Amino acid sequence: MRAVFFESFGQRPRVADLPSPTAPSGGVVIDVEATGLCRSDWHAWAGHDDSVALPHVPGHELVGRIAQVGAGVREWRRGQRVTTPFVCGCGRCEQCRSGNAQVCPNQTQPGFTHFGSWAEQVVIHAADHNLVAVPEDLPAEAVVGLGCRFATAFRGLHHRARLQRGETAAVVGCGGVGLSAIMIARALGARTVAVDVADGALDLARRFGADDTVNAAGLAPQEVADAIVAAAGRRPAVTVEALGREETMNAALLAAAPLGRHVQIGLFAHPPVTAMPRVIGQEIAVFGSHGMPAADYPELVDLVASGALRPADLVTRTIGLDEVPEALVELGERTRPGMTLIRP
């Protein structure tokens, strides 16, 4: 199979012909219809994730059809169209049994713990616990983002922060996951403030439902927080940091209302210094969101199928495998507005 492949962290990847995988016991091999380009893939390539072993094939957001079924798989058959959370639980531990596979201590992650979906085929382990059926009439553009950015934002806003209709949510960082959060907050009936340093990203945020925007270019965290409050006319009940930078996280925490809820989605290259005095003094709840278990996906898929949530609108570029190495390197230098779809 053809795949995007690197042998050293930070080394420019190349497209290589690799041996096709075989379905493991309990798992499947999927023919990849489409996959996504995500900042988490850049972190894996840069060496920021200690679960990644070399050599490696990135990619963790995907949709495709089952090509092979391993021994012991009961619920799935060859030819079915599926997606999967990027965090795959083992299906046996206490966390998986309680419905929290996203924090399974024995989790596997395509593109991190093993070869990922920037390839013609990818392996998914514990298929009976991790695969999600995809309606045939949903285009790949509407499905790929559900594997990571939309699922992570949906769990963060809906299941963790319990965002309510009529509340205000501020989303700091309007890349793929930030724009997903804006679209989800809008679908949940909340008022949204979008924050970024790029006018193009803010234009997309308005297009996808942001009521107000803040250009934070050149502003200190407290100045960004003040601008958020001024734009919204109130302190937001929920804040989301979707970039993974100390200064943007602290801007969100400084803006949050007393007793507010902060959702941290962005991944950090290094441990940040946090505005903890405000967290303590204003009793702000801080939630992490690390994907969503497959068991919770039907609610999200139904929201997409109904048209209330339109992930396909977020796709602004489609590329092939040969263009991926350059796109990955570029991701460390600048963020393109919207989402990039890869068709192997």
Side-chain angles (χ1 to χ4, degrees), residues 7-162:
E7 298 175 285
S8 298
F9 293 119
Q11 174 195 65
R12 185 184 180 87
R14 60 188 174 89
V15 177
D17 287 316
L18 302 179
S20 297
T22 300
S25 177
V28 299
V29 172
I30 294 174
D31 285 333
V32 178
E33 176 184 346
T35 181
L37 174 69
C38 176
R39 180 159 290 275
S40 298
D41 300 310
W42 181 87
H43 280 287
W45 170 71
H48 299 158
D49 192 312
D50 59 12
S51 70
V52 176
L54 298 172
H56 191 60
V57 174
H60 62 284
E61 299 174 301
L62 65 110
V63 61
R65 293 189 184 276
I66 298 173
Q68 298 176 35
V69 178
V73 175
R74 301 180 303 276
E75 305 294 329
W76 303 94
R77 65 183 185 278
R78 188 172 179 272
Q80 286 182 287
R81 191 169 185 241
V82 295
T83 188
T84 183
F86 80 94
V87 176
C88 295
C90 69
R92 302 181 303 274
C93 70
E94 177 184 355
Q95 297 298 340
C96 286
R97 292 197 304 271
S98 68
N100 291 295
Q102 79 283 353
V103 291
C104 169
N106 308 308
Q107 65 189 243
T108 58
Q109 298 182 24
F112 297 94
T113 62
H114 63 284
F115 282 8
S117 55
W118 289 3
E120 292 176 330
Q121 293 188 317
V122 63
V123 168
I124 299 298
H125 297 275
D128 285 337
H129 304 282
N130 295 308
L131 292 185
V132 177
V134 173
E136 292 289 342
D137 59 349
L138 280 184
E141 290 81 358
V143 180
V144 166
L146 304 187
C148 176
R149 61 198 88 194
F150 274 91
T152 303
F154 184 75
R155 177 170 173 78
L157 287 170
H158 186 50
H159 293 160
R160 301 288 279 154
R162 303 288 181 183

Side-chain angles (χ1 to χ4, degrees), residues 301-318:
V301 173
D302 287 348
L303 198 62
V304 176
S306 73
L309 183 63
R310 297 172 56 87
D313 292 348
L314 190 56
V315 176
T316 54
R317 179 173 62 153
T318 300

Side-chain angles (χ1 to χ4, degrees), residues 8 13 91 146 198 210 240 254 342:
S8 298
L146 304 187
V240 177
L254 292 168
I342 302 164

